[in-house]
């Protein structure tokens, strides 16, 4: 972890408790208080709380992801933490209360295979999950603590999706994936996501 001063980045001391394997992704909570790290070995996710320049590991959630953590994302209000991982259910979602992260019930419809990345929309209403196997992108709509899968876009990109990101206004969703064109962009209208035509 580096601390920035102007254009200079100085490495901080390592946390006293470190991840147990190679790391695939990390995410700060929007207020900068928490840092989640997704990695190869159990417990697959480690969450640190920051106080000044010190990052202290929190107790592991009582229910952990079931396989290698590939990526993670906080909701814009810092209430929810989604972890993309190997092994069913492929996406694990936690709700934060203070420093405690409690696993929510799995969505009734899950991604079809290993998830590599996830992203919340800026208003926290939608959660996109990039994964192996068709449809390669699974999009959920949140109502309270329930995440319900939306219908797949009528036109999908091809091959494994490795990551995804929403535009700050939430109207567009970009998906990075294997095989040309390597990036696919969807436009949202209500709860429907339409694939844009590739530009020459």
């Amino acid at each position: 972890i580096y601390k920035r001063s102007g254009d200079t980045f100085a490495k901080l001391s390592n946390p006293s408790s470190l991840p147990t394997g190679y790391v695939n992704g990390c995410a700060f909570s929007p207020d900068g208080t928490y840092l989640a790290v997704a990695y190869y070995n159990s417990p697959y996710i480690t969450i640190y709380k920051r106080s000044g320049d010190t990052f202290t590991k929190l107790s592991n959630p009582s229910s952990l992801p079931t396989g290698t953590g590939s990526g993670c994302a906080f909701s814009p209000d810092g209430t929810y933490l989604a972890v993309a991982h190997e092994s069913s259910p492929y996406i694990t979602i936690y709700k934060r209360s203070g420093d405690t992260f409690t696993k929510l019930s799995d969505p009734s419809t899950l991604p079809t295979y290993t998830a590599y990345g996830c992203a919340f929309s800026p208003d926290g209403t939608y959660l996109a999950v990039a994964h192996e196997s068709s449809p390669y992108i699974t999009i959920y709509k949140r109502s309270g603590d329930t995440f319900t899968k939306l219908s797949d876009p009528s036109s999908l990109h091809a091959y494994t999706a490795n990551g995804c990101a929403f535009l700050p206004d939430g109207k567009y969703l970009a998906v990075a994936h294997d095989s040309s064109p390597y990036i696919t962009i969807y436009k949202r209208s209500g709860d429907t996501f339409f694939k844009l035509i590739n530009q020459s």
Side-chain angles (χ1 to χ4, degrees), residues 76 120-127 140-143 146-147 191:
F120 279 95
S121 62
D123 64 358
T125 300
Y126 301 95
L127 172 64
Y140 297 95
K141 185 174 183 179
R142 183 183 64 81
S143 177
T146 301
F147 289 76
D191 291 339

Side-chain angles (χ1 to χ4, degrees), residues 137-161:
I137 188 75
T138 295
I139 307 167
Y140 297 95
K141 185 174 183 179
R142 183 183 64 81
S143 177
D145 294 339
T146 301
F147 289 76
T148 302
K149 182 184 179 299
L150 299 180
S151 298
D152 296 330
S154 57
S155 180
L156 296 167
H157 62 274
Y159 301 108
T160 297

Side-chain angles (χ1 to χ4, degrees), residues 32-35 47-51 54-58 98-99:
T33 300
Y34 301 95
L35 171 64
I47 305 166
Y48 297 96
K49 185 174 184 179
R50 182 184 63 82
S51 176
T54 301
F55 288 75
T56 302
K57 181 184 179 297
L58 299 181
D99 293 340

Side-chain angles (χ1 to χ4, degrees), residues 77-157:
D77 64 359
T79 300
Y80 300 94
L81 171 64
V83 183
H85 55 85
E86 290 185 9
S87 303
S88 182
Y90 308 115
I91 188 74
T92 295
I93 306 168
Y94 296 96
K95 185 174 184 179
R96 182 182 64 81
S97 177
D99 293 340
T100 301
F101 288 75
T102 302
K103 182 184 179 297
L104 299 180
S105 298
D106 295 331
S108 57
T109 303
L110 299 173
T112 53
Y113 204 56
T114 298
Y116 292 112
C118 54
F120 279 95
S121 62
D123 64 358
T125 300
Y126 301 95
L127 172 64
V129 183
H131 55 85
E132 282 191 53
S133 298
S134 182
Y136 307 111
I137 188 75
T138 295
I139 307 167
Y140 297 95
K141 185 174 183 179
R142 183 183 64 81
S143 177
D145 294 339
T146 301
F147 289 76
T148 302
K149 182 184 179 299
L150 299 180
S151 298
D152 296 330
S154 57
S155 180
L156 296 167
H157 62 274

Side-chain angles (χ1 to χ4, degrees), residues 7-26:
D7 292 340
T8 300
F9 288 77
K11 182 183 179 297
L12 299 180
S13 299
N14 293 331
S16 57
S17 294
L18 297 173
T20 59
Y22 66 74
V23 173
N24 294 313
C26 56

Side-chain angles (χ1 to χ4, degrees), residues 26-41:
C26 56
F28 276 100
S29 61
D31 66 357
T33 300
Y34 301 95
L35 171 64
V37 182
Y39 54 93
Y40 184 78
N41 293 334

